[in-house]
Amino acid sequence: MKYNPFKIILWILFLVFVLLNSLRLFIYGFIISFMIVIIDRAFFGTRKRSDHQFLNLFFAFTSIVALFYTFSPFFRSLEFKISHPKWQKLEVLSIQRGATSNVSTPFNFLEKTYTPVTINYLDVDGKLQSRREEIKHYAILGFEPLFKKQIIEKELDYIHSRSLNKLIDKKAVNLYQHPFKNSIKMFKGNDAFALRHSIGFQIALLITYLLFIGLTIYCVLRYKQLKTAIKSTNIKEQKKAYIILFIVMCTYLVLAITVLHYLKF
């Protein structure tokens, strides 16, 4: 299999993305991909096809699992509970909040807002314990004059306050204690998806902005070539053109949703 610079960069980003989460994600992607390849090879495919297919499946499924692990508190808590069955879940009694603060970058762009909280819980011996943590949410990545900082602050304050109140009212914190050590693992929230709690949200937006600009310019300059490729009988060229257009549409969709949400405030 030949690797061009684009594929090498893609695989490096893939490795960094997964390693920033958990090595277990590689295992999940490998098992799912291996099972699909074995079934396909036994009943439908050939060895050559299976070898190439495995890499694509491994990349796709591991990325999907990593995406859920990054942005889904419920999935992350459930995965830990299944993969660490001997860890004991602790009872959370109450959560007390502190003063909320904002953090800006050196260029005066709003980065995140956070609130310190004190979690009161019972340990495995039934004794009352306290743990201090920070609940944080990241702001929309916006650059003046297109995005006003005051509106971004207002939008972030709304997101943070709503999520923080929900977490405190429902005591939506999952604490697990190691069976043999005085080690505790904490998961904040039970939402299916919570995009704003991770810096991955801002990284994803930045990549989307760059793709939006770069691919828009590319499509304008290569309009005739793309049109010819779509009508071509060459499957490889046609596939490449459709992939580019699909990515372009995705970036436009994400950008449109971000702008509409920004305009609400």
Side-chain angles (χ1 to χ4, degrees), residues 227-265:
K227 187 176 180 180
T228 302
I230 292 174
K231 296 180 179 180
S232 173
T233 55
N234 188 322
I235 301 299
K236 186 176 181 179
E237 291 295 325
Q238 193 178 62
K239 182 179 178 181
K240 179 181 177 181
Y242 278 120
I243 290 175
I244 292 174
L245 292 177
F246 175 76
I247 296 175
V248 170
M249 287 190 293
C250 288
T251 60
Y252 273 73
L253 179 62
V254 172
L255 188 63
I257 293 174
T258 302
V259 171
L260 288 174
H261 185 69
Y262 167 85
L263 293 176
K264 285 173 58 178
F265 295 87

Side-chain angles (χ1 to χ4, degrees), residues 46-59:
T46 64
R47 180 172 181 177
K48 183 177 179 181
R49 169 182 161 183
S50 297
D51 292 341
H52 181 74
Q53 182 187 51
F54 175 79
L55 283 176
N56 292 333
L57 289 172
F58 177 71
F59 181 88

Side-chain angles (χ1 to χ4, degrees), residues 148-160:
K148 293 183 179 180
K149 186 176 180 180
Q150 293 80 1
I151 297 179
I152 292 178
E153 288 179 347
K154 184 178 179 181
E155 187 271 345
L156 180 59
D157 179 67
Y158 169 78
I159 294 294
H160 182 69

Side-chain angles (χ1 to χ4, degrees), residues 66-263:
L67 188 67
F68 275 87
Y69 194 90
T70 302
F71 294 115
S72 175
F74 172 77
F75 177 83
R76 190 162 54 250
S77 179
L78 178 64
E79 184 277 332
F80 183 85
K81 184 177 180 180
I82 294 174
S83 61
H84 298 75
K86 293 184 179 181
W87 286 58
Q88 184 174 340
K89 187 175 182 179
L90 304 178
E91 180 183 357
V92 176
L93 300 178
S94 63
I95 303 175
Q96 300 170 340
R97 64 181 296 172
T100 299
S101 302
N102 292 332
V103 178
S104 297
T105 66
F107 297 99
N108 202 32
F109 296 129
L110 183 64
E111 180 183 347
K112 66 180 179 180
T113 187
Y114 70 93
T115 300
V117 296
T118 301
I119 303 168
N120 302 310
Y121 65 96
L122 296 178
D123 62 16
V124 291
D125 298 321
K127 297 180 180 179
L128 179 64
Q129 303 287 349
S130 296
R131 181 185 179 96
R132 288 182 61 83
E133 293 287 344
E134 289 183 355
I135 306 301
K136 58 187 176 182
H137 291 85
Y138 288 85
I140 291 175
L141 192 64
F143 306 96
E144 293 184 320
L146 298 177
F147 291 87
K148 293 183 179 180
K149 186 176 180 180
Q150 293 80 1
I151 297 179
I152 292 178
E153 288 179 347
K154 184 178 179 181
E155 187 271 345
L156 180 59
D157 179 67
Y158 169 78
I159 294 294
H160 182 69
S161 299
R162 184 184 64 177
S163 299
L164 184 61
N165 292 336
K166 181 179 178 181
L167 183 140
I168 293 175
D169 294 340
K170 296 186 177 182
K171 293 182 286 189
V173 172
N174 296 309
L175 295 175
Y176 296 91
Q177 183 163 337
H178 194 283
F180 308 115
K181 301 178 182 179
N182 188 23
S183 177
I184 293 178
K185 183 73 173 179
M186 186 182 76
F187 298 93
K188 307 167 189 175
N190 296 319
D191 295 327
F193 278 96
L195 302 180
R196 307 293 290 276
H197 79 285
S198 172
I199 196 173
F201 167 77
Q202 289 188 330
I203 295 173
L205 268 186
L206 178 60
I207 293 174
T208 300
Y209 293 163
L210 294 176
L211 286 174
F212 168 77
I213 296 172
L215 290 180
T216 298
I217 295 174
Y218 177 86
C219 289
V220 171
L221 297 178
R222 297 294 184 91
Y223 173 76
K224 292 183 179 179
Q225 290 88 333
L226 285 173
K227 187 176 180 180
T228 302
I230 292 174
K231 296 180 179 180
S232 173
T233 55
N234 188 322
I235 301 299
K236 186 176 181 179
E237 291 295 325
Q238 193 178 62
K239 182 179 178 181
K240 179 181 177 181
Y242 278 120
I243 290 175
I244 292 174
L245 292 177
F246 175 76
I247 296 175
V248 170
M249 287 190 293
C250 288
T251 60
Y252 273 73
L253 179 62
V254 172
L255 188 63
I257 293 174
T258 302
V259 171
L260 288 174
H261 185 69
Y262 167 85
L263 293 176

